[in-house]
Amino acid sequence: MLLDISNGWKTAIMVVLLIAVFYLFLIKPQTDKAKKEAAYREGLKNGDRVMTAGGIHVTFVSAQNGMATVEAAPGHRMKVLTTSLQPIPERGRK
């Protein structure tokens, strides 16, 4: 079937297939992951235990304008970027 098509069309088909593969294996999973992380951060509420990108386990207090206030110890609050917050990994998970 592909032998009957001119070289120009073969090239065009290969480019379209290459773009489709890149989309399905690289772009789509990355956007799905970003949406999932954004939904997690939007769902945080006061008292949730989270981890910063630096590995510090903290308690979420509030978020405003891309900044989150977290509490590392009672009475010790700090501000971090909300994008640096992530769930605490479960122990024993491989």
Side-chain angles (χ1 to χ4, degrees), residues 35-89:
K35 286 179 186 177
K36 183 179 174 184
E37 289 174 355
Y40 169 76
R41 290 185 189 103
E42 290 293 322
L44 287 174
K45 44 191 182 309
N46 190 359
D48 286 348
R49 295 286 297 164
V50 295
M51 185 174 72
T52 65
I56 302 170
H57 292 219
V58 295
T59 303
F60 179 81
V61 177
S62 65
Q64 182 176 329
N65 298 330
M67 297 294 291
T69 302
V70 294
E71 192 170 55
H76 296 293
R77 291 186 176 188
M78 58 184 158
K79 289 191 177 217
V80 296
L81 291 172
T82 55
T83 55
S84 71
L85 299 178
Q86 52 195 346
I88 297 175

Side-chain angles (χ1 to χ4, degrees), residues 3 12 18 39 41 60 91 94:
L3 298 175
L18 185 64
R41 290 185 189 103
F60 179 81
R91 291 182 181 246
K94 294 181 180 180

